[in-house]
Amino acid sequence: MTRSNRPRHIVDMRARPSFLHSFFGAEPGSADFETVRWMNRRLGSEDIDHFTRAPDLPSFCRELDAAEIDVAVMVGRSTPSVRISNDVLATLSRSSEGRLIGVGSVDPQLFTGRGAADEAERCLKELKLAGVNVDPAFLGEPISHEDETLFPVYEVCADIGAPVFMMSGPTTPDLRLNDPLAVDRIARAFPTLPIICCHAFYPHIDEMIGVAFRNENVFVSPDMYLFAPGGRRYADAASGCLADQVLFGSSYPFRPLGQSVADFLRLDLDEEVIEKVAWRNAARLLRLDLA
């Protein structure tokens, strides 16, 4: 990257260290490991084995330093195939001395009654995690983002003022559930709830932009799909009406940290837009004291 357009700070809104789970490439030779390499190839990574350089927290922080990333947001996951303990995320976040921010995850199908809401509240109040993630289309019984079983989680986040992270994108097992229009209905039902759309419901780019245009509480986080075919339209939206609603993310380990930063800066956005997308929008959402 050049110093002339390097933002004052960088917050990576979606970076999960590989050592968190086999799904992120923690086990060389496994099917998961090869899937991580495959995703890197599909998304134009110049080094598809980059994630093997960071098998622990100190080495991951060195990767952040090399990419000049101040803070990485670890978005948790709780699905039948990928269970990451919210307690582990909280411990890792505390151990990182501010470099890693944890986002908990809740699978409503693991709970009865108000159990899912209670776990969301525990994530935010007791564990001090920055938000709550939901992966509805990846659950044992796939559901929509607007399924009523998720509403208690949304209510907790709205009451506390914490963002909910919504998993989406083209890897959704049933692509009918990769639907940004569901977000519109949630945003209308919970107008004070900050909604962060991870992967930005790619490839439904125009629909995602339209939903965010209508709802100022919807935030677009295209992360690795910013660099996929058509992804430049997310950046164009950031240069216009969505300047305060677009977020930078690498989606590490599925794309390298440093290359993602460099590719973002090569989009040749205005300085003010770069600052907002790189860190100001994230700092406002997550209440980070970076200034």
Side-chain angles (χ1 to χ4, degrees):
M1 73 188 76
T2 63
R3 302 309 304 180
S4 60
N5 70 341
R6 203 275 177 195
R8 183 175 179 183
H9 300 288
I10 299 177
V11 176
D12 188 337
M13 286 296 293
R14 193 172 182 86
R16 284 72 56 84
S18 59
F19 54 81
L20 274 178
H21 194 277
S22 173
F23 180 78
F24 302 121
E27 300 176 10
S30 68
D32 284 338
F33 185 88
E34 291 305 320
T35 297
V36 175
R37 298 179 81 242
W38 178 83
M39 284 292 291
N40 274 274
R41 282 195 297 269
R42 297 293 283 174
L43 291 160
S45 298
E46 296 167 359
D47 176 7
I48 64 171
D49 293 315
H50 64 90
F51 59 94
T52 62
R53 294 195 299 264
D56 52 33
L57 179 57
S59 57
F60 182 70
C61 287
R62 287 194 293 271
E63 290 290 291
L64 293 176
D65 291 339
E68 301 185 66
I69 293 173
D70 299 85
V71 176
V73 179
M74 302 179 295
V75 181
R77 198 161 201 183
S78 182
T79 68
S81 60
V82 184
R83 300 280 187 206
I84 300 174
S85 164
N86 292 325
D87 296 88
V88 168
L89 288 171
T91 298
L92 186 58
S93 181
R94 289 192 297 268
S95 300
S96 73
E97 298 181 347
R99 300 304 300 281
L100 300 181
I101 301 293
V103 172
S105 191
V106 176
D107 176 352
Q109 296 174 6
L110 291 181
F111 302 93
T112 59
R114 281 196 52 82
D118 290 342
E119 178 61 11
E121 186 170 344
R122 188 179 80 90
C123 284
L124 300 172
K125 290 187 175 181
E126 179 182 328
L127 299 181
K128 306 299 182 184
L129 295 170
V132 177
N133 176 68
V134 294
D135 291 84
F138 292 80
L139 301 180
E141 179 183 340
I143 57 176
S144 165
H145 289 83
E146 59 177 333
D147 190 277
E148 63 180 11
T149 61
L150 290 166
F151 274 53
V153 175
Y154 300 154
E155 289 170 359
V156 167
C157 290
D159 289 345
I160 294 176
V164 63
F165 290 66
M166 294 185 176
M167 170 66 177
S168 65
T171 62
T172 301
D174 183 343
L175 286 173
R176 291 172 297 181
L177 297 177
N178 182 36
D179 179 16
L181 299 184
V183 178
D184 180 67
R185 293 185 279 271
I186 298 163
R188 296 283 165 151
F190 298 94
T192 64
L193 171 65
I195 301 172
I196 299 174
C197 298
C198 302
H199 300 333
F201 286 85
Y202 182 86
H204 301 297
I205 301 170
D206 295 333
E207 293 88 342
M208 179 78 265
I209 291 171
V211 169
F213 178 88
R214 279 164 52 91
N215 302 284
E216 293 186 51
N217 59 321
V218 172
F219 296 84
V220 181
S221 182
D223 46 79
M224 59 189 177
Y225 296 110
L226 180 62
F227 313 110
R232 171 73 208 215
R233 297 208 299 280
Y234 293 121
D236 292 340
S239 293
C241 60
L242 300 189
D244 297 318
Q245 293 168 261
V246 177
L247 305 160
F248 168 78
S250 69
S251 207
Y252 180 97
F254 302 108
R255 211 169 188 277
L257 298 172
Q259 183 186 343
S260 295
V261 171
D263 288 348
F264 165 64
L265 295 180
R266 275 195 286 267
L267 293 173
D268 195 30
L269 302 173
D270 290 346
E271 181 179 349
E272 182 180 1
V273 174
I274 290 174
E275 294 289 324
K276 287 185 175 184
V277 175
W279 71 278
R280 288 191 183 278
N281 294 342
R284 184 179 73 254
L285 269 173
L286 303 180
R287 301 172 188 173
L288 302 178
D289 184 13
L290 294 177

